[in-house]
Amino acid sequence: MNNKKIVVVGGVGGGASAAARARRLDESAKIKMFEKGPDVSFSNCSLPYHLSGLIPDADSIILKTPKQFKDQYRIDAEVNSEVIDVDSEQKLVTVQDTQTGEKRQVPYDQLILSPGAKPILPKSIQGISNTNVFSVRNVVDIKKIQKYLEENHVKDVAVIGGGFIGLEVCENLVQSGRNVAVVEAASHVLSTIDDDFAQLVHKNLYDHGVQVVLNDPLVKISDDQIQLASGKKIPSQAVIMAIGVSPDTKLAQKIGCKLGITGSIAVDQHYETSIPDIYAVGDAIEVTNKLTRKKTRLALAFPAQMEARDAVDHIYGRSVRNRGVIGSQVIHLFDLNVASTGLTEDACDKNEIEHRSVTVIPQNRVSVMPETSPIFLKLIFGYPSGEILGAQAIGKSDVDKQIDIIATLISMHGHVEDLTHLELCYSPWFSTAKNAVNIVGLVADNILNDEYRQISITKVRDLVENGAFIIDAREPSEYAAGHITTSTNIPLSQFRDRLDEIPTDRPVYVHCQSSQRSYNMVRALGNLGYKNITNISGSYAELREYEYFKDKTTDRQPIITDDL
């Protein structure tokens, strides 16, 4: 083990974590890290915040310099140095200086590849190579974008792609005073959440002046506008491409590493490639989804860092437990936080996993406290097993708290009943006595046990258009402020005296502001002998926002009377 030679290709989350872990385990190792760019360690996820000035100095995004690696860890971190070839028989890497072109060979005992992923820039898009087209991968990129925006006095920017990077770039560009259009080829932004929750994000973007275009891919880029497949033209003097990333497998393929079914580098349970003593970690590798048991890709910081740790542990003979990934993530977007973990309903459908879902909208803390706000929380679980498969949360509060709790249970193969009696911290300042995760667990447990029926708010428009009988269980003052156009107002406080107004010969659907009052009415009517009563899950608060964006961007007939 003495004087082991470890070479790491690529820095940032995966590579830098691997090098640091190796030093913690072995003070005598000779560790070299090669990064083809000028910065070996920086916070990728912080890059967009330079565009708004929240991070005034782009260089502050750099976390460690080569000198700091040398002084603090005795790690030789060399920038502007690209590993272009590997002789796995002789255990030599060929390193080329990207500025001078000079080449040299460096020996290794173990080699760790962390090349990351590169932005997708389709050549089929006319003008994709124009000087006003940018992607966001590193500090150099973000400096280049900011310089171009300022020097050319850019006012209109098109962001192509509604994923995490695209939306974070969008938010910061809006906060810098620019007009922003987000163009998404799919039916909604953020593939990590379902369509019903995505509509809340669409409304949030719309409310902050963002032009959101869906189901319409980019086909042409000019100096002052973009053109979409529909023929629609949008003014933009700069274009940020954020439609996704692809694993950087150029070196791995050249040296003969096997690729997996996703096109990423295939690794075993120890993150070793098909070539002995060559490991791979981070965005370029293929991982296993803990829930579907299928191979996938996951470009997130935490998994990359833990893969790096595990790979080095295996090098040093430590046991490794590669249990797969679930994909937990959160984004701050203007005045909303959006978090998710595990599978969406769409992913369950694609993987043919029988499931159910529930949505609750409790307050983030006791209602008498100041600045209380709702949490939109959705839980997805297997049917009939009740195993927790995923969750999504949106709100102005720290919704990552609820998602982190559920992510923990997913990692432990938890079930909905595990949420119902989960004892969590409580104070009126921080939560309601029953936390949102307790509430969603209780509702899911009811659905699992077939105690009552429910439908999603995504079905309400069909109900309205087909003349279904819908009860609004809110108070008259709430109903007067806005309601479903065809609904009948029978408040929870009055319904027992108005049973003659509730039909028994056809289905009845009940909703309220947050599903709580409607749930109580549904249960009571069931106890009174009604056989065909259904609760509308999510209810008016979510429905109003779900319909809002679509009503504003299409010519369809609104089914809600109020205008947010």
Side-chain angles (χ1 to χ4, degrees):
M1 189 169 79
N2 290 336
N3 300 316
K4 185 186 289 289
K5 296 184 289 292
I6 294 179
V7 171
V8 181
V9 179
V12 200
S17 295
R21 179 62 174 170
R23 177 55 72 220
R24 287 195 296 273
L25 297 182
D26 185 0
E27 189 63 25
S28 68
K30 296 186 181 301
I31 305 169
K32 288 186 175 291
M33 180 165 50
F34 297 106
E35 168 59 48
K36 65 181 179 181
D39 304 305
V40 72
S41 177
F42 56 91
S43 175
N44 308 61
C45 300
S46 299
L47 292 171
Y49 298 96
H50 176 57
L51 298 176
S52 63
L54 185 65
I55 299 177
D57 182 5
D59 286 331
S60 66
I61 299 173
I62 300 170
L63 302 178
K64 284 195 184 303
T65 64
K67 185 178 187 304
Q68 288 173 310
F69 274 106
K70 184 68 173 179
D71 292 345
Q72 296 177 14
Y73 300 104
R74 291 296 186 267
I75 293 172
D76 293 322
E78 299 185 26
V79 296
N80 300 313
S81 300
E82 182 179 6
V83 174
I84 59 173
D85 205 354
V86 178
D87 184 336
S88 59
E89 295 293 331
Q90 299 298 317
K91 290 195 170 182
L92 294 170
V93 300
T94 301
V95 184
Q96 183 175 38
D97 187 307
T98 59
Q99 295 178 325
T100 67
E102 181 183 353
K103 298 178 184 178
R104 60 193 169 97
Q105 289 189 315
V106 177
Y108 71 87
D109 292 317
Q110 278 82 30
L111 174 64
I112 301 173
L113 305 179
S114 182
K118 53 190 177 182
I120 297 173
L121 300 171
K123 294 181 179 179
S124 59
I125 297 174
Q126 188 176 343
I128 193 69
S129 299
N130 291 0
T131 56
N132 65 335
V133 180
F134 305 90
S135 58
V136 181
R137 188 182 187 187
N138 52 40
V139 178
V140 173
D141 289 342
I142 211 68
K143 285 181 177 179
K144 188 184 298 183
I145 293 171
Q146 185 72 321
K147 182 180 180 181
Y148 186 91
L149 295 176
E150 292 176 352
E151 290 184 350
N152 292 276
H153 307 290
V154 172
K155 291 300 296 179
D156 306 303
V157 183
V159 177
I160 313 302
F164 276 71
I165 291 295
L167 294 188
E168 286 172 342
V169 167
C170 163
E171 176 191 22
N172 284 276
L173 288 171
V174 169
Q175 292 177 344
S176 73
R178 294 180 171 87
N179 304 316
V180 181
V182 171
V183 176
E184 173 56 59
S187 60
H188 65 77
V189 301
L190 293 179
S191 62
T192 54
I193 60 177
D194 286 307
D195 181 71
D196 53 344
F197 268 43
Q199 300 308 322
L200 309 183
V201 179
H202 294 161
K203 178 184 181 299
N204 184 255
L205 292 167
Y206 186 91
D207 285 347
H208 287 86
V210 178
Q211 182 180 359
V212 182
V213 182
L214 306 172
N215 292 308
D216 204 355
L218 173 69
V219 296
K220 182 179 179 181
I221 302 171
S222 303
D223 291 341
D224 58 356
Q225 67 179 15
I226 60 170
Q227 182 175 325
L228 309 182
S230 65
K232 182 181 181 69
K233 296 179 180 179
I234 300 174
S236 81
Q237 300 86 52
V239 177
I240 312 297
M241 295 297 299
I243 63 175
V245 295
S246 61
D248 189 344
T249 60
K250 180 181 177 182
L251 176 63
Q253 285 185 273
K254 181 177 182 180
I255 66 178
C257 289
K258 180 183 176 182
L259 299 186
I261 60 173
T262 65
S264 303
I265 303 170
V267 295
D268 64 12
Q269 68 271 30
H270 307 123
Y271 301 101
E272 192 168 11
T273 70
S274 57
I275 302 176
D277 291 320
I278 298 181
Y279 295 75
V281 300
D283 298 354
I285 72 168
E286 188 171 79
V287 293
T288 301
N289 185 291
K290 181 192 290 285
L291 295 162
T292 65
R293 276 68 168 174
K294 294 181 180 179
K295 296 297 182 181
T296 187
R297 300 200 305 250
L298 185 66
L300 292 175
F302 177 74
Q305 292 185 7
M306 297 313 294
E307 291 155 11
R309 178 188 176 94
D310 288 347
V312 174
D313 279 2
H314 183 255
I315 289 172
Y316 281 92
R318 292 173 170 244
S319 61
V320 174
R321 296 287 182 269
N322 184 347
R323 296 191 171 109
V325 298
I326 60 175
S328 300
Q329 42 215 312
V330 64
I331 181 175
H332 174 76
L333 192 60
F334 298 110
D335 52 2
L336 282 185
N337 299 312
V338 184
S340 62
T341 188
L343 303 178
T344 60
E345 287 198 86
D346 184 55
C348 287
D349 290 337
K350 289 179 179 177
N351 286 281
E352 299 182 338
I353 299 173
E354 185 71 15
H355 68 282
R356 300 289 187 272
S357 73
V358 296
T359 297
V360 298
I361 315 174
Q363 296 296 303
N364 68 315
R365 51 188 177 182
V366 176
S367 58
V368 297
M369 300 299 289
E371 299 181 3
T372 302
S373 62
I375 297 173
F376 293 81
L377 178 60
K378 181 177 187 177
L379 184 72
I380 300 155
F381 52 96
Y383 188 85
S385 69
E387 181 180 2
I388 301 170
L389 300 176
Q392 300 157 37
I394 297 180
K396 295 181 179 180
S397 59
D398 296 331
V399 296
D400 57 319
K401 172 182 177 179
Q402 281 74 31
I403 295 302
D404 284 343
I405 292 169
I406 295 173
T408 302
L409 281 177
I410 290 176
S411 296
M412 300 172 67
H413 299 286
H415 293 71
V416 294
E417 60 264 30
D418 295 319
L419 289 170
T420 62
H421 288 72
L422 190 62
E423 187 177 349
L424 302 171
C425 295
Y426 163 66
S427 160
W429 189 262
F430 294 101
S431 173
T432 49
K434 286 193 194 102
N435 191 281
V437 297
N438 300 128
I439 296 171
V440 81
L442 288 164
V443 175
D445 200 41
N446 285 336
I447 294 299
L448 192 64
N449 293 325
D450 294 323
E451 295 195 27
Y452 72 99
R453 289 192 297 270
Q454 68 165 14
I455 62 165
S456 166
I457 55 102
T458 61
K459 305 297 184 183
V460 171
R461 177 168 286 275
D462 290 339
L463 295 180
V464 171
E465 292 174 350
N466 289 301
F469 190 86
I470 301 172
I471 295 176
D472 188 325
R474 298 175 301 154
E475 291 302 308
S477 60
E478 297 174 274
Y479 184 84
H483 56 267
I484 298 173
T485 54
T486 60
S487 63
T488 300
N489 186 210
I490 306 178
L492 179 66
S493 60
Q494 302 176 15
F495 84 97
R496 291 175 180 86
D497 299 320
R498 297 172 60 180
L499 293 177
D500 58 335
E501 299 178 42
I502 303 175
T504 57
D505 58 348
R506 62 175 173 141
V508 173
Y509 301 88
V510 189
H511 83 90
C512 65
Q513 188 68 15
S514 67
S515 286
Q516 185 177 29
R517 283 172 284 180
S518 59
Y519 163 71
N520 281 293
M521 186 183 290
V522 166
R523 294 302 293 261
L525 288 171
N527 291 333
L528 290 170
Y530 286 77
K531 302 297 185 185
N532 204 350
I533 309 295
T534 301
N535 191 36
I536 299 176
S537 176
S539 230
Y540 189 75
E542 184 186 3
L543 174 66
R544 183 177 59 173
E545 303 219 350
Y546 177 77
E547 292 289 329
Y548 177 86
F549 174 77
K550 292 184 176 182
D551 285 347
K552 290 293 184 182
T553 55
T554 66
D555 57 0
R556 69 182 192 177
Q557 188 68 28
I559 63 169
I560 301 292
T561 63
D562 66 347
D563 189 343
L564 294 174

